[in-house]
Amino acid sequence: METIVLKFGGSSVADNIKLNIVANKIIDFYNKKNKVIVVASAQGKTTDNLIKEAKELSYEPDKREMDMLLSTGEQISVSKLAILLNRLGYPAVSLTGWQAGIYTSEANQEAKIEYINTERMQKELDDGKIVLVAGFQGISNKKDITTLGRGGSDTTAVAIAAAIKADHCYIFSDVDGVYSTDPNKITDAKKITELSYTEMLDLSNEGAKVLHNRCVEVAQKYNVLIETGSTFNNNIGTQINNKIEESAVKSLVKNDNLFLITLKHDSYNADMLNKLYFILLENDITPMNIVNNSVSSFYVSFTIKTSDLGKFQELLENELSIYSSSFTNISRISLVGYGIMNNKEIMKKALEIFNINSVNIYSIELEECKLSIMTKEKVSDKLLEQLHHELIK
Amino acid sequence: METIVLKFGGSSVADNIKLNIVANKIIDFYNKKNKVIVVASAQGKTTDNLIKEAKELSYEPDKREMDMLLSTGEQISVSKLAILLNRLGYPAVSLTGWQAGIYTSEANQEAKIEYINTERMQKELDDGKIVLVAGFQGISNKKDITTLGRGGSDTTAVAIAAAIKADHCYIFSDVDGVYSTDPNKITDAKKITELSYTEMLDLSNEGAKVLHNRCVEVAQKYNVLIETGSTFNNNIGTQINNKIEESAVKSLVKNDNLFLITLKHDSYNADMLNKLYFILLENDITPMNIVNNSVSSFYVSFTIKTSDLGKFQELLENELSIYSSSFTNISRISLVGYGIMNNKEIMKKALEIFNINSVNIYSIELEECKLSIMTKEKVSDKLLEQLHHELIK
């Protein structure tokens, strides 16, 4: 008898038809004599709607109270799933985060799981029940409800798998696995069968949406093998494990949602960059790839997400009004795979393809498992297709 | 400094405009240097909608899971109220039933409050916070979420007032108090300033909707003085206390939602009534005013609520198909007030008015504080007006 953790995302439980699909998937695992724990997210747009309603009451809602409010979303999905499974004749019990023994830090809206007391889950499993756990939430030492931040349900699933020493941890979503590049754009895109934790982390940091990077970090720490899959088919997905792979490019990601910002000022003091950085962080903007070319005048460039652009422009009119500025929408192409840093052939081929297409490179970053290339113009799907064809075997 | 419990019903917190009205009412009490605990129900039709959604998944949803599902409704209202109060500059903290220390029996969907551990509420009050408690819910010894059944938020408020030894317990709703009869129908209707617990119990059992009878029972047991009021005005409402009143009719209630049922069968065994009663209770139908006139044949009549009629007709086609039956929609007029049983003048006057109007009485019940008259025809508002005019001073 194996212990299995299954995680279903919000779009997989969005309505009654989908709840039925999910229920049947759960029953399949249960019928194979498995002990089954299911972690579910809030249904469809529930969390977004609750946030919208709260913002109508307060521009900046109290974080503790937001967690009280948002945690109801997952409680609703797991109790509905339990109602459905019981009706189908399968014993099921739903648990909130605190009932499942998920203890977290006190940081409301971005709590970290500190400890899981598996006693209640274990008891229900021993009674033959399917255990449904509300994802994304826990309880602090003060007995306040906390939430783990967006994508937290993935983390809940992996942390439970680690605590309960599960034999398998499946993360189900709309897509069955991680692809070598966006299959909606590049027809050659192929599913990756295995990825190491580091490769997966690099991919999710670059915007791949299959897994949340926090859950990959937890999986790596506790050596939990993650298997991805689609809620809506039975294809084999991608396995994320700690195997050392041969040097190769596994996946190609393009991110067009970045702006390159340049700030200037006639004079320069050593503390100007510090102050700038501080103001940006205070306003929840994380500047990436900062380059400081200041000498006698201040001259700094960095990238921010397109979604932060509005906030940043407001700052330019207020706290940062001493600076003159320029903006460019840039593209960032990342090649991810073990050993890229030590494989000069990959880098050479990539640069060649940019050259052939007459696309000027603005900057290059090289890490153990990742090569990122930024350009000041939008990179075409044709260039992407060539990179994919030449570099991914 | 007084400790005050305020309870707001579902229609009082139905939308953001109403939440603002409620918040201002709470602030008024808080600003008068009171320690304030607020109990709130789920917003508007939330509970009904959740029940509907669950019934789409299962004809008879598991009760434990229904409590998991329904308890989210009150959690949403109190967290929204806390977000709003904090934004208005007033420190507020919302608590679920289990956080507020409300321990109940294990009977899901109809749990009884067994004990309240006031420690957390007391701590938050001592910190100067407005404490918002999710009504209608608690936690069992098994650490399962329970709900108290419909109208349970009133009971939560009164039980907290008893446990925390509150100086006042206000129950706010759409109407400011208990009236001598339905003010929408009888223009003479007047607000009652004081009622004893027994009188209020008789009234709520006869269908007056201002207070749930379970909350009145708890109030009586722990001697909690209840003050009713409207969320939407500042009129003085009705006080429910343990005073012994002089003999008088306080209120007049008409209930047209009853059916008189007669069942017949050619033969009669002594256990037929028992079996009938058992089948009705099994199907959640409570027959009232049973009269058994059986001798050699079975001949029994009783009343049921109009809302149970559909279910009852199904039974007649199945388990009860041996009986022939007849149905009559009846009216039930109740006069409520301390000492009615020992006041023959009241009874005489009432019967006289029915006579003058040529309305035949089907049956009369007399209790300590209540006289109920049933008729096989619908009682007119004119007759009600006369009763009110003659009997209520």
Side-chain angles (χ1 to χ4, degrees):
Chain A
M1 190 174 253
E2 294 193 318
T3 303
I4 314 272
V5 176
L6 313 173
K7 186 261 168 177
F8 295 94
S11 60
S12 297
V13 294
D15 56 38
N16 286 354
I17 294 170
K18 291 185 174 176
L19 284 176
N20 271 284
I21 294 170
V22 165
N24 283 311
K25 202 137 196 149
I26 295 169
I27 290 168
D28 278 351
F29 280 97
Y30 184 77
N31 279 343
K32 287 173 191 151
K33 304 243 173 262
N34 289 314
K35 291 187 172 184
V36 179
I37 296 176
V38 178
V39 175
S41 304
Q43 294 187 283
K45 300 255 169 255
T46 308
T47 306
D48 289 337
N49 290 339
L50 288 172
I51 291 173
K52 191 174 143 271
E53 287 167 37
K55 296 239 162 157
E56 286 166 12
L57 293 167
S58 171
Y59 185 71
E60 203 173 343
D62 184 270
K63 287 182 177 179
R64 178 197 180 278
E65 298 304 330
M66 277 305 274
D67 283 354
M68 274 290 272
L69 184 63
L70 297 186
S71 62
T72 61
E74 285 73 20
Q75 190 171 331
I76 289 173
S77 1
V78 289
S79 53
K80 281 187 177 175
L81 257 180
I83 285 168
L84 179 55
L85 284 165
N86 280 311
R87 199 257 293 165
L88 295 171
Y90 291 85
V93 62
S94 70
L95 301 175
T96 60
W98 63 268
Q99 287 176 323
I102 298 171
Y103 289 87
T104 73
S105 65
E106 289 179 6
N108 284 106
Q109 298 266 281
E110 48 180 8
K112 302 267 173 290
I113 296 178
E114 291 183 341
Y115 170 72
I116 299 184
N117 178 341
T118 62
E119 203 177 314
R120 174 80 188 253
M121 287 189 284
Q122 205 70 68
K123 184 197 155 294
E124 302 288 356
L125 288 177
D126 292 345
D127 287 351
K129 300 251 177 74
I130 296 166
V131 178
L132 306 156
V133 179
F136 171 71
Q137 59 181 258
I139 182 177
S140 72
N141 281 331
K142 283 159 88 177
K143 291 197 177 171
D144 280 340
I145 293 173
T146 53
T147 66
L148 311 178
R150 283 298 174 119
S153 290
D154 286 356
T155 312
T156 303
V158 173
I160 288 177
I164 212 147
K165 298 183 175 49
D167 300 285
H168 292 278
C169 177
Y170 295 92
I171 309 278
F172 291 103
S173 67
D174 282 353
V175 290
D176 51 14
V178 185
Y179 279 75
S180 56
T181 193
D182 187 344
N184 297 316
K185 287 188 184 146
I186 310 295
T187 45
D188 269 0
K190 55 180 185 175
K191 204 185 307 164
I192 303 168
T193 50
E194 275 186 304
L195 276 173
S196 72
Y197 296 118
T198 319
E199 288 170 332
M200 187 66 231
L201 275 176
D202 280 333
L203 274 175
S204 46
N205 284 333
E206 291 300 327
K209 279 168 197 141
V210 179
L211 286 178
H212 195 269
N213 54 6
R214 275 173 63 195
C215 102
V216 181
E217 284 167 17
V218 176
Q220 183 167 30
K221 190 166 171 190
Y222 295 101
N223 206 4
V224 175
L225 186 149
I226 300 177
E227 289 156 83
T228 72
S230 162
T231 308
F232 308 110
N233 66 42
N234 289 316
N235 298 343
I236 291 171
T238 302
Q239 226 183 61
I240 293 98
N241 55 36
N242 64 352
K243 287 197 190 133
I244 305 289
E245 303 296 320
E246 83 274 33
S247 167
V249 180
K250 287 276 182 60
S251 184
L252 186 58
V253 190
K254 182 171 77 151
N255 185 352
D256 286 334
N257 294 314
L258 293 171
F259 265 81
L260 176 69
I261 312 285
T262 306
L263 294 187
K264 293 184 193 166
H265 189 259
D266 289 341
S267 67
Y268 175 60
N269 296 318
D271 68 345
M272 283 173 87
L273 185 65
N274 265 12
K275 279 186 182 164
L276 168 67
Y277 210 95
F278 186 78
I279 290 172
L280 292 176
L281 292 182
E282 274 288 282
N283 287 279
D284 280 331
I285 298 173
T286 312
M288 292 161 289
N289 323 102
I290 288 208
V291 178
N292 183 358
N293 286 321
S294 310
V295 185
S296 65
S297 63
F298 182 81
Y299 183 87
V300 162
S301 58
F302 50 88
T303 57
I304 63 170
K305 290 180 193 156
T306 304
S307 55
D308 287 338
L309 192 62
K311 259 192 294 185
F312 181 71
Q313 281 175 316
E314 270 178 43
L315 287 180
L316 277 178
E317 283 164 24
N318 300 297
E319 286 102 313
L320 303 179
S321 60
I322 58 161
Y323 298 111
S324 67
S325 59
S326 68
F327 299 77
T328 322
N329 189 187
I330 59 170
S331 272
R332 178 183 170 98
I333 309 290
S334 297
L335 307 172
V336 173
Y338 179 77
I340 283 183
M341 189 183 253
N342 299 314
N343 191 329
K344 293 202 176 59
E345 289 311 308
I346 292 170
M347 211 160 153
K348 276 194 218 161
K349 252 187 206 156
L351 295 182
E352 209 175 281
I353 291 166
F354 276 85
N355 270 343
I356 293 167
N357 285 273
S358 311
V359 174
N360 289 325
I361 291 169
Y362 167 68
S363 77
I364 294 176
E365 286 166 48
L366 187 58
E367 293 168 36
E368 180 63 36
C369 298
K370 189 170 67 175
L371 169 70
S372 294
I373 298 169
M374 283 191 284
T375 64
K376 284 197 186 179
E377 58 200 292
K378 210 180 157 206
V379 168
S380 68
D381 286 346
K382 192 186 131 226
L383 193 155
L384 220 60
E385 190 122 32
Q386 285 174 16
L387 283 172
H388 189 267
H389 183 76
E390 289 291 330
L391 293 171
I392 295 185
K393 301 302 168 194
Chain B
M1 189 173 254
E2 293 193 317
T3 303
I4 313 272
V5 176
L6 313 173
K7 185 258 165 179
F8 295 94
S11 60
S12 297
V13 293
D15 56 38
N16 286 354
I17 295 170
K18 291 185 174 177
L19 283 175
N20 272 284
I21 295 170
V22 165
N24 283 311
K25 201 137 201 151
I26 295 169
I27 290 168
D28 277 352
F29 280 96
Y30 183 78
N31 279 342
K32 286 172 192 152
K33 304 240 172 268
N34 289 313
K35 291 186 172 182
V36 179
I37 295 176
V38 178
V39 175
S41 304
Q43 294 187 283
K45 300 255 168 258
T46 308
T47 307
D48 290 336
N49 290 340
L50 289 173
I51 291 173
K52 191 174 143 272
E53 287 167 35
K55 296 240 164 159
E56 286 166 11
L57 293 168
S58 169
Y59 184 71
E60 202 174 342
D62 184 271
K63 288 182 175 178
R64 178 197 180 279
E65 300 303 329
M66 278 306 274
D67 284 355
M68 276 288 275
L69 183 63
L70 298 186
S71 61
T72 60
E74 286 72 22
Q75 189 171 330
I76 289 172
S77 3
V78 290
S79 52
K80 282 187 177 175
L81 258 178
I83 286 168
L84 179 56
L85 285 164
N86 280 311
R87 197 258 293 164
L88 295 170
Y90 291 85
V93 62
S94 69
L95 301 176
T96 61
W98 63 267
Q99 286 175 323
I102 298 172
Y103 289 87
T104 73
S105 65
E106 289 179 5
N108 285 106
Q109 297 266 279
E110 48 180 8
K112 303 268 172 289
I113 295 178
E114 290 183 342
Y115 169 72
I116 298 184
N117 178 341
T118 61
E119 203 176 313
R120 173 80 189 253
M121 287 189 284
Q122 205 71 68
K123 184 197 156 292
E124 302 289 355
L125 288 176
D126 292 346
D127 287 352
K129 300 252 176 76
I130 297 168
V131 179
L132 305 157
V133 179
F136 169 73
Q137 60 180 253
I139 182 178
S140 72
N141 282 330
K142 284 158 86 175
K143 292 197 177 167
D144 279 339
I145 293 174
T146 53
T147 68
L148 311 177
R150 283 297 175 118
S153 291
D154 286 356
T155 312
T156 302
V158 173
I160 288 176
I164 212 146
K165 297 185 175 48
D167 301 283
H168 291 280
C169 177
Y170 295 92
I171 309 278
F172 291 104
S173 66
D174 282 352
V175 291
D176 52 13
V178 185
Y179 279 75
S180 58
T181 192
D182 186 345
N184 296 318
K185 287 188 182 144
I186 311 293
T187 46
D188 269 2
K190 56 180 186 176
K191 204 186 304 166
I192 304 168
T193 50
E194 273 187 304
L195 274 173
S196 72
Y197 296 118
T198 319
E199 289 170 333
M200 188 65 231
L201 275 177
D202 280 333
L203 274 175
S204 45
N205 283 332
E206 291 299 328
K209 281 170 196 138
V210 178
L211 285 178
H212 196 268
N213 53 8
R214 276 173 62 194
C215 102
V216 182
E217 285 167 17
V218 176
Q220 183 167 30
K221 189 166 171 190
Y222 294 100
N223 209 3
V224 175
L225 188 147
I226 301 176
E227 289 156 84
T228 72
S230 162
T231 307
F232 308 110
N233 66 44
N234 290 315
N235 299 343
I236 291 170
T238 303
Q239 225 184 61
I240 293 97
N241 55 35
N242 64 353
K243 284 195 193 136
I244 304 290
E245 302 296 319
E246 83 274 32
S247 167
V249 180
K250 287 273 181 61
S251 183
L252 186 59
V253 189
K254 183 170 76 150
N255 183 352
D256 288 333
N257 294 315
L258 292 172
F259 266 82
L260 176 68
I261 311 286
T262 307
L263 294 186
K264 291 183 195 168
H265 188 258
D266 289 340
S267 66
Y268 174 60
N269 297 317
D271 66 345
M272 284 173 86
L273 185 65
N274 266 12
K275 281 184 181 164
L276 169 67
Y277 209 95
F278 186 80
I279 290 171
L280 293 176
L281 293 183
E282 274 287 282
N283 288 280
D284 280 330
I285 299 173
T286 312
M288 293 162 288
N289 324 104
I290 286 209
V291 179
N292 182 357
N293 286 321
S294 311
V295 185
S296 64
S297 63
F298 182 80
Y299 184 88
V300 163
S301 59
F302 52 88
T303 56
I304 62 172
K305 289 180 194 156
T306 305
S307 55
D308 287 338
L309 193 62
K311 257 193 293 185
F312 181 70
Q313 282 175 314
E314 269 178 42
L315 288 180
L316 277 178
E317 284 165 24
N318 300 297
E319 286 101 313
L320 302 178
S321 61
I322 59 159
Y323 299 111
S324 66
S325 61
S326 68
F327 300 76
T328 323
N329 189 189
I330 59 171
S331 272
R332 178 184 169 100
I333 308 290
S334 297
L335 308 171
V336 174
Y338 179 77
I340 282 184
M341 189 184 253
N342 299 313
N343 190 329
K344 294 202 175 54
E345 289 311 308
I346 291 170
M347 208 162 153
K348 274 196 221 161
K349 251 185 208 159
L351 295 182
E352 211 174 280
I353 291 167
F354 276 85
N355 270 341
I356 291 167
N357 285 274
S358 309
V359 173
N360 290 324
I361 290 169
Y362 166 69
S363 78
I364 294 176
E365 285 166 49
L366 187 59
E367 293 168 35
E368 182 61 36
C369 296
K370 187 170 68 175
L371 170 68
S372 294
I373 297 170
M374 282 191 283
T375 65
K376 285 197 184 179
E377 58 198 292
K378 209 180 158 205
V379 168
S380 68
D381 286 348
K382 195 186 129 224
L383 193 155
L384 220 62
E385 190 121 34
Q386 287 174 18
L387 284 172
H388 190 268
H389 182 76
E390 289 292 330
L391 294 171
I392 296 185
K393 302 300 165 192

